[in-house]
Amino acid sequence: MSDEIFITEETIEGDDDGPLAGTTVAVKDNISTEGVRTTCGSRMLEEYVPPYDATVVSRLKDAGATIVGKANMDEFGMGTTTETSYFGSTDNPAAPGHVPGGSSGGSAAAVAAGEADVALGSDTGGSIRCPAAFCGVVGIKPTYGLVSRYGLVAYGNSLEQIGPFGNTVEDAAQLLDVIAGSDDRDATTHTEGDDSSYADAATGDVDGLKIGVPTELLEGADEGVVETFWDAIADLEAQGAEYQEVSLPSVEHAVEAYYVIAMSEASSNLARFDGVRYGHDAEADGNWNDAFAQTREEGFGDEVKRRILLGTYALSAGYHDKYYKKAQDARAWVKQDFDEALSDVDVLASPTMPVPPFELGESLDDPLKMYLADANTVPVNLADLPAISVPAGETDGLPVGLQLVGPAFGEERLIRAASALE
């Protein structure tokens, strides 16, 4: 199974001691590793070898971790199934014949299959939480700015964060302790994680915890997923938590707003892949425009091309205000709704994904179905908030995840609550 999980299997040794000494880590293949190929799951970067480490990779090495490979992913992070990778799909170790989720599916699968103790992924609209839920592991999407993005190949700058996977909440939290904190090379980082102790928060103490359940995030969800979700809430209640229903009316527009913003940022970010500076070169005859077009035609897969085209259209003259500006207005509304809800409760809870894992090949020909599956995860990225996905049980033998969302830099609260479900 390791051939399906890793794009590149090359060991990178860390220091001899440190908090992660003896711990093996899989790293998503859009995170730069000096001297080791970083492909983003794309033909465009099939032979690209970064000359530097991402900040999170440097911190892994300093902490004594051993990186065991670069994990498969949806091409440039664009997908929910890890099937858009140029290098082929990854099977789900927890549900063979089904997708591992995406876009960080290889990272989650590596942990679920025992190929790595922990893993790093990136989350632009659910790309850590979705595969965590589908593979039955723990995944944390940190608050925007808690973890440095230096060395992460950009897809949607204003949305994405690097975060950890683990078999337990404590394992994932320990990895977050290592990678969190400010970085001079990323001006969006904050100091809140500089002296963190997230692993110590995994106490499972939820006595008196107030949980808000947004009714909108249960609408249209699979019946078995909803039943498993309520069983998990009942488990938390039995341990002293209490829940109440809350409303987030803006999430009705979150998926549409997210994809306009993410595709627009992708259109801008991926313009750099022209076959001249680095990446695939089609070696086409003709003028520069012809060579540029042929290089991108050969280098990018269908899903990436689709998002570039839609993003370019949304940013074009005459349409910027009609689409992009409205999407940003909707984003502000989403953030306001979350902030108001979290002023009344400690955390918000929902199913991580509204459906169980798809069968391999099931959703490739229906991109809209894939986009709508992100309905519960993308609002969190729009609001810049932290979230965690923890295994909640199964439906028809397939894993189901519970998502907890907290206030900005409220990771310790989420970790404490999520550990109560283990």
Side-chain angles (χ1 to χ4, degrees), residues 7-8 22 35 51 83 85 137 146-147 195 257-258 267 317 368 370 374:
I7 293 174
T8 303
E83 292 177 292
S85 172
V137 297
L146 183 70
V147 178
D195 297 305
Y258 166 80
S267 169
L368 183 58
M370 189 165 59
D374 296 334

Side-chain angles (χ1 to χ4, degrees), residues 161-214:
Q161 271 289 270
I162 295 171
F165 291 94
N167 276 307
T168 68
V169 173
E170 186 176 2
D171 286 348
Q174 185 180 25
L175 183 53
L176 182 61
D177 276 324
V178 168
I179 63 174
S182 57
D183 179 14
D184 292 340
R185 294 172 294 186
D186 180 357
T188 66
T189 54
H190 295 256
T191 59
E192 276 78 358
D194 286 354
D195 297 305
S196 64
S197 55
Y198 298 118
D200 292 339
T203 62
D205 180 9
V206 293
D207 189 33
L209 183 77
K210 294 181 180 179
I211 302 170
V213 177

Side-chain angles (χ1 to χ4, degrees), residues 94-115:
H98 294 75
V99 302
S103 62
S104 309
S107 297
V111 174
E115 297 279 351

Side-chain angles (χ1 to χ4, degrees), residues 356-395:
F358 306 114
E359 292 184 0
L360 285 165
E362 178 183 342
S363 61
L364 270 181
D365 296 327
D366 190 354
L368 183 58
K369 178 180 180 180
M370 189 165 59
Y371 298 163
L372 292 175
D374 296 334
N376 290 7
T377 55
V378 297
V380 180
N381 297 77
L382 292 174
D384 296 333
L385 297 177
I388 187 170
S389 179
V390 63
E394 295 184 345
T395 177

Side-chain angles (χ1 to χ4, degrees), residues 133 228-230 232-233 236 348-353 388-393 400-404 417-418 421:
T228 304
F229 166 75
W230 283 118
I233 295 297
L236 292 172
L348 300 173
S350 74
T352 306
M353 300 297 289
I388 187 170
S389 179
V390 63
V400 174
L402 173 81
Q403 174 178 247
L404 296 173
L421 287 169

